[in-house]
Amino acid sequence: QKEVEQNSGPLSVPEGAIASLNCTYSDRGSQSFFWYRQYSGKSPELIMSIYSNGDKEDGRFTAQLNKASQYVSLLIRDSQPSDSATYLCAVNVYTGRRALTFGSGTRLQVQP
Amino acid sequence: GAVVSQHPSRVICKSGTSVKIECRSLDFQATTMFWYRQFPKQSLMLMATSNEGSKATYEQGVEKDKFLINHASLTLSTLTVTSAHPEDSSFYICSAEGGKGEDNYGYTFGSGTRLTVV
């Protein structure tokens, strides 16, 4: 079982729709969760971090965390063609290990 | 916000030569530097973790004698790919963890280095 799992996609949504990206993780001790966006050939850029159960909203983005289900998601409202990218879920998997473990990423395509 | 400057952005080298990649934290102290490698259509894989002034900790399967990491100061870490081969061609990304004063900046990624070994 992979430590951080994501559906590779592509996830295709029409412009203006809500895109829903999902991620599961294996280590129940994980404390910190991150969503990154990566354009082709570029470095990842942080969208949101979340540490507590529930929802966290920032503009068009909402991160949702459910530690009991070991599940974290990212919702993108009013999707734009510029949101087309690969979205990486990252987790601090082990207590005491500070490096992030990344999922394989979900490719999002927003159709104009 | 926090910025990590990574150079070079692209490098092409001949098989058997060495390449050095630099990451500098601008205006903050990088107490820990993480080095990742990303092959096409794959995710970031951690290669090693380095703390300023101490030896790097390498992930399983990563050759420490091939990928030399130096973190001599709180603002500079380098990765040297020695005796590079075509299979080392990849996208190398550094990520600094640190802050300034009482501010913790979390993880700040460099812009990445595209290495092509011919």
Side-chain angles (χ1 to χ4, degrees):
Chain A
Q1 182 188 7
K2 291 183 180 177
E3 294 169 323
V4 181
E5 293 207 54
Q6 295 181 255
N7 188 315
S8 61
L11 172 65
S12 186
V13 299
E15 184 174 355
I18 296 175
S20 178
L21 304 162
N22 304 315
C23 173
T24 58
Y25 60 95
S26 60
D27 182 15
R28 286 194 172 275
S30 301
Q31 298 293 321
S32 309
F33 307 86
F34 305 83
W35 281 101
Y36 286 86
R37 177 172 61 195
Q38 187 177 29
Y39 294 109
S40 181
K42 301 295 185 182
S43 189
E45 52 180 320
L46 181 67
I47 298 175
M48 291 189 72
S49 58
I50 187 167
Y51 306 97
S52 305
N53 278 330
D55 295 359
K56 179 181 178 182
E57 186 174 320
D58 184 0
R60 296 187 295 114
F61 300 96
T62 298
Q64 300 174 318
L65 175 61
N66 184 325
K67 289 187 177 181
S69 300
Q70 295 174 237
Y71 174 90
V72 58
S73 66
L74 179 70
L75 299 178
I76 306 174
R77 289 180 297 281
D78 188 24
S79 296
Q80 301 297 310
S82 58
D83 294 327
S84 298
T86 297
Y87 288 79
L88 301 169
C89 172
V91 179
N92 277 122
V93 174
Y94 304 120
T95 302
R97 167 178 155 143
R98 300 202 307 280
L100 296 178
T101 298
F102 285 83
S104 55
T106 298
R107 190 155 63 91
L108 172 66
Q109 296 176 338
V110 181
Q111 308 294 336
Chain B
V3 174
V4 171
S5 175
Q6 183 171 349
H7 293 282
S9 57
R10 290 179 177 272
V11 58
I12 300 174
C13 72
K14 290 185 177 180
S15 188
T17 61
S18 296
V19 172
K20 180 184 283 188
I21 301 169
E22 285 191 355
C23 278
R24 292 182 183 273
S25 56
L26 305 182
D27 201 33
F28 76 99
Q29 295 182 331
T31 50
T32 303
M33 191 72 79
F34 305 100
W35 287 93
Y36 292 88
R37 179 167 54 181
Q38 186 178 34
F39 292 107
K41 299 191 185 301
Q42 295 186 26
S43 191
L44 281 73
M45 297 300 295
L46 181 68
M47 298 175 67
T49 301
S50 72
N51 294 301
E52 182 264 339
S54 60
K55 290 184 179 180
T57 301
Y58 290 81
E59 295 299 298
Q60 191 172 13
V62 178
E63 299 174 58
K64 63 179 181 180
D65 295 329
K66 180 172 181 62
F67 299 99
L68 302 179
I69 292 173
N70 185 288
H71 194 165
S73 78
L74 284 170
T75 59
L76 173 65
S77 179
T78 61
L79 166 67
T80 301
V81 183
T82 63
S83 187
H85 288 100
E87 57 265 32
D88 298 323
S89 299
S90 188
F91 191 50
Y92 292 85
I93 309 171
C94 63
S95 173
E97 183 188 31
K100 184 177 180 181
E102 294 185 359
D103 294 332
N104 186 329
Y105 294 155
Y107 302 92
T108 304
F109 282 82
S111 55
T113 297
R114 173 75 58 194
L115 170 63
T116 303
V117 185
V118 298

